[in-house]
Amino acid sequence: GEDVEQSLFLSVREGDSSVINCTYTDSSSTYLYWYKQEPGAGLQLLTYIFSNMDMKQDQRLTVLLNKKDKHLSLRIADTQTGDSAIYFCAENNQAGTALIFGKGTTLSVSS
Amino acid sequence: DVKVTQSSRYLVKRTGEKVFLECVQDMDHENMFWYRQDPGLGLRLIYFSYDVKMKEKGDIPEGYSVSREKKERFSLILESASTNQTSMYLCASSHRQRGTDTQYFGPGTRLTVL
């Protein structure tokens, strides 16, 4: 069935780069998404990538997509304490009716 | 700016009570969704709706129902609340554009059932 997998935790030092990885199963997904959830808040769309792209850059964020391996990653350059949050990877389901979310990666940034 | 609002940030109810969670979006989105979020389980889809008076079951609809009488409002109903429905409930909406389903989320309602 459809599934999205992420590692649960990542800990980095302020100023380092963070890389959050995700694997997905549905090769027909048109778009893949990264959402951020700060403590006590809802999910906020960070960025998304169209499936025919292999990279997208947006300021400190770089998304890499490897369609062959069904692997998606989010790189945050110069990680700040304000980046501490849960990051969710998501893909469209096969019917195209909803998103399937991973369980989320908790990023902890220490100063 | 897309805005999705939920009626309460925190709610405490007793077992057996009927509970209404309201969600309103102001961007004329066709699609609306209800999720619950639990530690270690991520987001799980309860119900969704593509149009007024239309609803579809998600992955975990048992114990819940929904209502969409107006395009901007999507209600989640717990007919008889139970302790295992203690959770964070997130509402989302999206505009069905070609090939994408970017969802915008409300701030969440943390429900505790005693």
Side-chain angles (χ1 to χ4, degrees):
Chain A
E2 302 156 322
D3 199 13
V4 177
E5 298 277 347
Q6 303 177 237
S7 53
L8 293 182
F9 298 101
L10 177 65
S11 183
V12 300
R13 286 192 173 277
E14 195 173 19
D16 288 349
S17 292
S18 307
V19 179
I20 302 172
N21 294 300
C22 168
T23 57
Y24 60 96
T25 55
D26 185 4
S27 57
S28 65
S29 289
T30 310
Y31 287 88
L32 293 131
Y33 305 83
W34 284 105
Y35 283 83
K36 176 184 180 183
Q37 185 182 34
E38 294 180 353
L43 274 68
Q44 168 197 354
L45 178 68
L46 264 185
T47 187
Y48 61 86
I49 187 167
F50 189 45
S51 59
N52 71 352
M53 298 170 64
D54 50 22
M55 186 179 92
K56 180 179 179 182
Q57 187 143 7
D58 183 2
Q59 298 182 345
R60 292 190 297 120
L61 304 178
T62 304
V63 179
L64 295 178
L65 175 60
N66 181 330
K67 282 196 76 173
K68 176 175 163 289
D69 295 338
K70 296 180 188 172
H71 182 266
L72 183 72
S73 68
L74 174 70
R75 178 176 181 269
I76 306 172
D78 187 25
T79 313
Q80 303 297 308
T81 54
D83 295 323
S84 293
I86 305 175
Y87 291 82
F88 291 90
C89 168
E91 64 165 345
N92 296 99
N93 67 357
Q94 282 191 351
T97 54
L99 293 181
I100 301 169
F101 288 86
K103 290 184 171 48
T105 299
T106 299
L107 174 64
S108 174
V109 183
S110 57
S111 54
Chain B
D1 222 19
V2 177
K3 193 151 187 188
V4 180
T5 56
Q6 295 183 228
S7 50
S8 307
R9 291 299 304 272
Y10 301 94
L11 209 51
V12 179
K13 295 291 181 181
R14 295 203 172 276
T15 303
E17 280 192 79
K18 190 169 186 174
V19 182
F20 293 87
L21 302 182
E22 302 281 337
C23 175
V24 177
Q25 49 93 5
D26 66 357
M27 283 302 293
D28 202 36
H29 284 171
E30 295 85 5
N31 309 329
M32 296 189 76
F33 306 82
W34 274 107
Y35 296 89
R36 64 178 281 178
Q37 182 180 14
D38 301 287
L41 298 178
L43 271 72
R44 292 181 290 168
L45 181 64
I46 305 171
Y47 266 97
F48 57 99
S49 168
Y50 291 123
D51 203 349
V52 176
K53 297 192 188 295
M54 179 271 176
K55 59 187 177 186
E56 293 281 344
K57 290 180 181 178
D59 299 319
I60 51 162
E62 297 79 18
Y64 303 95
S65 61
V66 290
S67 172
R68 187 137 182 230
E69 295 296 318
K70 294 185 177 181
K71 192 175 184 181
E72 67 271 18
R73 187 180 297 269
F74 192 34
S75 303
L76 180 70
I77 303 153
L78 286 66
E79 295 290 341
S80 177
S82 63
T83 54
N84 64 11
Q85 292 178 310
T86 292
S87 186
M88 169 74 103
Y89 289 87
L90 293 165
C91 174
S93 73
S94 71
H95 173 57
R96 186 72 186 185
Q97 299 176 38
R98 182 181 173 85
T100 182
D101 190 22
T102 303
Q103 293 184 16
Y104 298 89
F105 283 79
T109 296
R110 185 165 291 283
L111 172 68
T112 302
V113 182
L114 302 175

